[in-house]
Amino acid sequence: MNKSLTRSIGFWLLLVLSLASAGVGGWLIAGQIGTMTSTLLDGTATGIEVYVGQSLVVVGAALLGAGVLGLLIAIALSAVQALMPSAAPVVVEPIDWTAESDDAGEAETVVDSATAHSATDLSDASESADEIDETGEAQNGSSGSTATATKISVK
């Protein structure tokens, strides 16, 4: 699982939503604090500007805090990704097709008796299945082929 962090949708969502949350929170705080300050200093402040403004500043502070926390998590994820070792590429040697080995020729001629017996049983079974298909009768077994699964005679 050596997926690059910059290719992760979750990372980019965290980064973008954190920036948006911090931006909206900062905008709410700055706007409400500015309005409350100017109206309180002028003496024209109403209860709505003061009390609702305080609530909006608290909401803005929560959004700003969540955005900053998300940005810190994104930075921490980037730092952890940079510290994790990446898998080293495996060097594959080219195959020398011209070299022949005496051991390889001997290994091909040695046949295990149990393997040879099961191989002949499988070939006999496939021959009998082919004979049924050639006569046009429906096959009653499960051979795993598409023709059996769809009940189509393949010739």
Side-chain angles (χ1 to χ4, degrees):
M1 182 168 177
N2 289 330
K3 188 175 182 182
S4 176
L5 191 60
T6 57
R7 298 170 95 188
S8 172
I9 294 173
F11 174 76
W12 288 109
L13 276 173
L14 173 67
L15 192 61
V16 168
L17 292 177
S18 296
L19 285 171
S21 176
V24 169
W27 175 72
L28 274 175
I29 290 172
Q32 292 303 316
I33 293 288
T35 301
M36 285 184 353
T37 301
S38 65
T39 55
L40 285 172
L41 290 177
D42 291 345
T44 59
T46 63
I48 293 175
E49 290 171 343
V50 174
Y51 297 116
V52 173
Q54 290 175 0
S55 299
L56 288 175
V57 167
V58 170
V59 169
L63 287 173
L64 179 65
V68 168
L69 184 65
L71 289 173
L72 290 175
I73 290 172
I75 291 170
L77 282 173
S78 298
V80 167
Q81 181 72 24
L83 292 176
M84 291 181 67
S86 62
V90 178
V91 178
V92 179
E93 297 179 13
I95 299 174
D96 186 13
W97 294 104
T98 60
E100 292 186 21
S101 173
D102 294 333
D103 295 335
E106 292 174 6
E108 292 176 355
T109 59
V110 176
V111 177
D112 187 18
S113 63
T115 308
H117 179 65
S118 64
T120 56
D121 290 344
L122 289 175
S123 64
D124 291 341
S126 66
E127 288 174 3
S128 64
D130 290 339
E131 291 173 3
I132 292 172
D133 284 342
E134 290 173 0
T135 60
E137 296 178 16
Q139 188 174 3
N140 292 330
S142 173
S143 66
S145 68
T146 306
T148 303
T150 59
K151 295 183 181 179
I152 299 173
S153 177
V154 178
K155 295 183 182 179

